[in-house]
Amino acid sequence: MIMRFLTFGFVGIGLIGGSVAKSLRSVYPGCKIIVYNRSAEPRVMALNDGTANVAVSEVHEAFGECDYIFLCTPVEKNVEYLKKLKPLVKDDCIITDVGSVKGNIHQAVAELEMQSMFIGGHPMAGSEKTSYEHSSDKLLENAYYALTPEDCVPSERVEEFTQIIKDIGAIPIRLSFQEHDRVVAAISHLPHLIASSLVNLVKKSDSPQEYMKMIAAGGFKDITRIASSSPEMWEQICMTNTENIAGMLQSYINDLTDVKKALDQKNGHAIYQMISESRDYRDNLDDHSNSIIQKSYNVYCDIIDESGAIATIATILATNGVSIKNIGIIHNREFEEGVLKISFYNEASADQAIEQLEKHRYKVFKRN
């Protein structure tokens, strides 16, 4: 019950920081939340919507009453704020962060001799939208939340913080910061680099007539979707987890070398084994509603190619309260069913769309 009346501090309230703060307000309505953000607008929004009790324009003595402080700024800025917070916080305060790389922040904590009051954190959720206005108290529901406490952190504080993460709807996973950075290098950081390099390969390999770009099918767009991420953010991630990403990349290069060898030797069995093994592993991955790489929820629909066809479908969905993320005609139907592709923000909206369109006798296909 005491957690309901804790004081939480936030340094940065963008998408993730704002979502954590809103989740805490939802589950602990009696808690006190103090927020700092460099720009004023998110601070005002957090006060106006009832998330924050106090909003400050500087990191100062107000944070001295906090039981927990979340660092939710870019990685290099988090280190600066650690230095500012050290003389301000009380002895039993726990500082945490939400960064996707943990090694650099743990190194800074060690240099500042703050290991006993730091629990590294990484909520493995996100959105293509950023900023406080897009934050939500539901963003972390069913998302894995990595915790990387060191042995010197009091066990009762680790347990309390773990319970807080559970209470806001996330799934805590406790591991070392070294293992965390190795894991995310494989499942998040390397895939972003591969997607970007594959898109650039097609761009460089295309003819002046751009046939590759013209007929790129849904399958290609699906596996390269994450290449549309922020270059600034991913430069920072790659420069703070370089060793792990480079190691995974070398393993991937070795695997690609084996694939090329199989192709050169026309070794169909090796290609079959590779695809079969990857299919079996992928089919057994847990399907969580939230993840470190956001899912897309797509519905494909056959329509008559006539004026107003798309508007009719959009009207059907809008009048039934279904929000559309994107809608458009598929000009190349390789590996796709349906000529119209409609994307949604969540699975519930996609399912509701299917129900409504089938009522109107449309032929509909779903693919996540």
Side-chain angles (χ1 to χ4, degrees):
M1 293 294 293
I2 192 174
M3 290 184 289
R4 297 178 182 272
F5 304 103
L6 292 173
T7 297
F8 298 95
F10 284 83
V11 178
I13 48 169
L15 176 72
I16 299 299
S19 295
V20 175
K22 288 179 178 180
S23 298
L24 289 169
R25 173 61 67 212
S26 176
V27 298
Y28 305 145
C31 74
K32 183 174 182 178
I33 295 179
I34 301 169
V35 301
Y36 158 77
N37 199 78
R38 185 175 60 179
S39 57
E41 185 177 5
R43 303 196 304 262
V44 174
M45 293 174 66
L47 284 172
N48 289 343
D49 67 19
T51 297
N53 303 96
V54 178
V56 296
S57 58
E58 296 288 342
V59 174
H60 54 47
E61 61 275 3
F63 284 88
E65 63 178 291
C66 292
D67 300 293
Y68 289 92
I69 297 174
F70 291 80
L71 299 176
C72 308
T73 67
V75 174
E76 73 276 5
K77 291 294 183 182
N78 280 343
V79 174
E80 293 180 20
Y81 288 120
L82 268 175
K83 296 175 182 178
K84 289 185 178 182
L85 287 167
K86 183 177 180 180
L88 300 175
V89 298
K90 57 186 181 181
D91 292 341
D92 60 350
C93 176
I94 293 294
I95 299 175
T96 185
D97 75 319
V98 297
S100 64
V101 181
K102 301 266 72 79
N104 59 318
I105 190 74
H106 274 271
Q107 180 181 347
V109 166
E111 291 171 355
L112 292 168
E113 299 182 342
M114 300 173 70
Q115 298 99 314
S116 64
M117 58 170 49
F118 182 79
I119 300 176
H122 178 200
M124 297 186 177
S127 168
E128 73 282 355
K129 296 182 178 181
T130 59
S131 76
Y132 182 82
E133 66 180 311
H134 298 297
S135 61
S136 166
D137 63 354
K138 306 299 183 187
L139 183 68
L140 303 180
E141 281 190 356
N142 299 316
Y144 286 121
Y145 199 121
L147 302 176
T148 60
E150 298 195 51
D151 293 340
C152 57
V153 182
S155 59
E156 64 271 17
R157 301 309 306 277
V158 176
E159 293 303 324
E160 182 180 71
F161 189 55
T162 301
Q163 186 59 52
I164 290 170
I165 299 308
K166 290 180 181 178
D167 287 348
I168 63 176
I171 305 168
I173 303 177
R174 201 178 303 175
L175 68 169
S176 69
F177 70 85
Q178 297 93 338
E179 181 67 9
H180 168 274
D181 286 359
R182 179 176 169 276
V183 168
V184 294
I187 66 167
S188 175
H189 303 167
L190 181 59
H192 278 82
L193 292 180
I194 292 171
S196 295
S197 64
L198 182 56
V199 170
N200 287 336
L201 173 66
V202 169
K203 177 184 177 183
K204 295 172 184 176
S205 304
D206 210 351
S207 65
Q209 294 79 19
E210 294 190 324
Y211 291 129
M212 290 184 183
K213 180 179 181 181
M214 184 187 305
I215 65 176
F220 178 80
K221 294 186 73 174
D222 282 348
I223 64 174
T224 59
R225 176 170 49 88
I226 54 178
S228 298
S229 300
S230 163
E232 293 82 8
M233 179 181 74
W234 281 97
E235 177 189 10
Q236 185 180 123
I237 288 172
C238 289
M239 293 303 98
T240 52
N241 200 24
T242 307
E243 185 176 346
N244 285 297
I245 299 172
M248 288 295 173
L249 178 58
Q250 186 58 59
S251 296
Y252 184 61
I253 291 170
N254 295 341
D255 287 344
L256 289 179
T257 300
D258 291 340
V259 172
K260 183 178 184 303
K261 182 178 178 181
L263 291 171
D264 290 340
Q265 297 177 351
K266 298 190 182 299
N267 186 346
H269 178 70
I271 298 297
Y272 175 91
Q273 286 295 111
M274 177 192 70
I275 295 175
S276 176
E277 181 180 348
S278 65
R279 178 198 61 188
D280 292 344
Y281 185 81
R282 187 185 185 279
D283 288 349
N284 282 282
L285 294 176
D286 288 338
D287 187 17
H288 290 277
S289 62
N290 213 342
S291 65
I292 193 170
I293 297 178
Q294 291 297 290
K295 295 175 66 175
S296 74
Y297 301 92
N298 302 317
V299 168
Y300 299 85
C301 179
D302 275 331
I303 62 172
I304 299 172
D305 187 8
E306 63 182 16
S307 176
I310 294 180
T312 299
I313 286 180
T315 300
I316 291 171
L317 298 180
T319 55
N320 286 279
V322 182
S323 297
I324 297 173
K325 180 179 179 181
N326 201 1
I327 186 168
I329 294 291
I330 297 173
H331 297 289
N332 182 328
R333 293 179 64 178
E334 183 185 10
F335 306 123
E336 307 286 15
E337 306 96 340
V339 71
L340 183 69
K341 178 180 178 181
I342 316 171
S343 300
F344 301 90
Y345 289 102
N346 52 58
E347 190 168 17
S349 296
D351 290 338
Q352 189 180 355
I354 291 173
E355 179 183 354
Q356 294 301 324
L357 292 175
E358 287 181 340
K359 281 183 180 180
H360 288 79
R361 301 188 181 281
Y362 286 97
K363 187 176 182 180
V364 184
F365 310 88
K366 179 182 177 183
R367 202 175 105 204
N368 291 343

